[in-house]
């Protein structure tokens, strides 16, 4: 495949390395000095785009890919209030779009464990539930998209949980998320159930960016000849 890399920070460079190792070529690189609007011809010649930019530019980048008939994989977080509208736009244009808050194979398995544990704990009101995430100091959004996904999965499976907050809370309706920014941490997510008697915890710790980059390339390989809206569950054939 010929891949357009939209966003060329640490993740973009890691994705480039994995993509080249897997026999793909990079047809376009878009970064802060090189806008997507100035590269429509090169974009159209790409088989798929992988978008890891900023919350401020992600929507425009995704819509440009869809308008140019290029399937797009997006891993940028912090713009999800517009996700429903973007997905509807993709459907209206008969395009192809895959968003994931985290492309790591391990994290996507962790998501399934989180949902299962939440369902098992649904009637155990004696446990307080919390989520903690740790990332490097350059991460632009807090909480992380992965932490939000974990909290929303808990809300979907535990009666009485109605919202998450990025702060400590003793409100029984809230899933509190604690965000820490510590270098050089690439990402740790921790879900904890605490009672007076015991604790139950599940933790995912990333050692480097390679797992995220590989997952993004696998997602691109999966969607490039397809039409529609997809998730990493489709890529990994989970559930």
């Amino acid at each position: 495949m010929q891949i357009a890399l939209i966003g060329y920070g640490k993740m973009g460079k890691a994705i480039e390395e994995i993509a080249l190792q897997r026999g793909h070529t990079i047809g376009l690189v878009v970064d802060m000095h090189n806008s997507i609007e100035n590269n429509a011809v090169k974009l159209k010649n790409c088989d798929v785009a992988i978008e890891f930019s900023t919350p401020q530019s992600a929507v425009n980048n995704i819509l440009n890919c869809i308008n140019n008939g290029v399937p797009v994989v997006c891993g940028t977080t912090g713009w999800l209030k517009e996700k429903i509208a973007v997905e509807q736009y993709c459907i209206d244009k008969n395009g192809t779009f895959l968003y994931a808050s985290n492309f790591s194979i391990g994290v996507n398995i962790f998501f399934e464990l989180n949902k299962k544990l939440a369902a098992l704990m649904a009637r155990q009101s004696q446990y307080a539930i919390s989520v903690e995430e740790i990332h490097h100091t350059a991460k632009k959004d807090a909480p992380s998209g992965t932490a939000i996904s974990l909290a929303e999965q808990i809300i979907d499976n535990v009666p009485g949980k109605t919202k998450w907050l990025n702060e400590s809370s003793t409100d029984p309706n809230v899933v509190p998320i604690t965000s820490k920014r510590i270098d050089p941490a690439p990402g740790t997510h921790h879900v904890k159930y605490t009672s007076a008697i015991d604790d139950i915890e599940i933790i995912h710790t990333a050692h480097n960016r390679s797992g995220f980059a590989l997952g993004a390339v696998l997602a691109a390989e999966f969607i490039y000849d397809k039409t529609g809206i997809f998730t990493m569950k489709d890529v990994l054939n989970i559930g």
Side-chain angles (χ1 to χ4, degrees), residues 133 139-144 148 164 166 179 181:
E133 56 101 350
K139 185 166 178 60
K140 295 179 175 62
D141 57 318
S144 68
I148 293 171
W164 59 265
N166 193 210
S179 297
R181 296 294 175 260

Side-chain angles (χ1 to χ4, degrees), residues 23-232:
H24 305 302
T25 58
I26 306 302
L28 171 65
V29 173
V30 175
D31 61 18
M32 67 180 69
H33 307 295
N34 179 26
S35 73
I36 193 169
E37 285 84 357
N38 293 332
N39 288 281
V41 174
K42 288 184 178 180
L43 181 62
K44 287 179 180 179
N45 290 330
C46 291
D47 297 305
V48 66
I50 301 178
E51 205 276 353
F52 274 80
S53 62
T54 66
Q56 295 74 32
S57 60
V59 172
N60 181 59
N61 292 336
I62 295 163
L63 297 183
N64 266 286
C65 291
I66 293 170
N67 280 329
N68 283 282
V70 179
V72 56
V73 168
C74 176
T76 305
T77 58
W79 61 274
L80 295 187
K81 290 181 180 179
E82 298 177 75
K83 182 170 178 280
I84 293 174
V86 167
E87 289 182 340
Q88 186 58 56
Y89 187 85
C90 180
I91 291 168
D92 293 343
K93 292 288 187 177
N94 200 34
T96 307
F97 177 57
L98 187 153
Y99 167 79
S101 59
N102 196 306
F103 284 90
S104 161
I105 294 170
V107 165
N108 281 276
I109 293 170
F110 188 68
F111 283 155
E112 299 305 306
L113 291 173
N114 181 56
K115 288 187 285 187
K116 180 64 175 177
L117 179 57
L120 289 170
M121 298 296 288
R123 297 184 181 180
Q124 307 303 323
S125 59
Q126 70 272 30
Y127 286 87
I129 310 171
S130 61
V131 176
E132 179 184 273
E133 56 101 350
I134 305 170
H135 281 87
H136 52 85
T137 57
K139 185 166 178 60
K140 295 179 175 62
D141 57 318
S144 68
T146 301
I148 293 171
S149 294
L150 291 167
E152 290 180 343
Q153 289 166 356
I154 292 166
I155 292 166
D156 288 343
N157 285 279
V158 178
K161 298 297 183 185
T162 58
K163 63 180 179 178
W164 59 265
L165 291 175
N166 193 210
E167 59 188 47
S168 298
S169 176
T170 57
D171 185 336
N173 299 316
V174 168
V175 178
I177 302 174
T178 301
S179 297
K180 298 179 179 179
R181 296 294 175 260
I182 303 168
D183 285 328
T188 296
H189 293 87
H190 181 180
V191 179
K192 187 173 184 178
Y193 292 76
T194 302
S195 77
I197 296 172
D198 57 13
D199 295 343
I200 300 171
E201 304 175 49
I202 55 173
I203 302 171
H204 179 274
T205 303
H207 301 306
N208 52 57
R209 291 182 176 83
S210 297
F212 310 120
L214 174 60
V217 176
L218 290 174
E221 292 172 351
F222 178 82
I223 70 164
Y224 92 99
D225 59 350
K226 296 178 175 65
T227 299
I229 308 293
F230 301 95
T231 71
M232 282 301 287

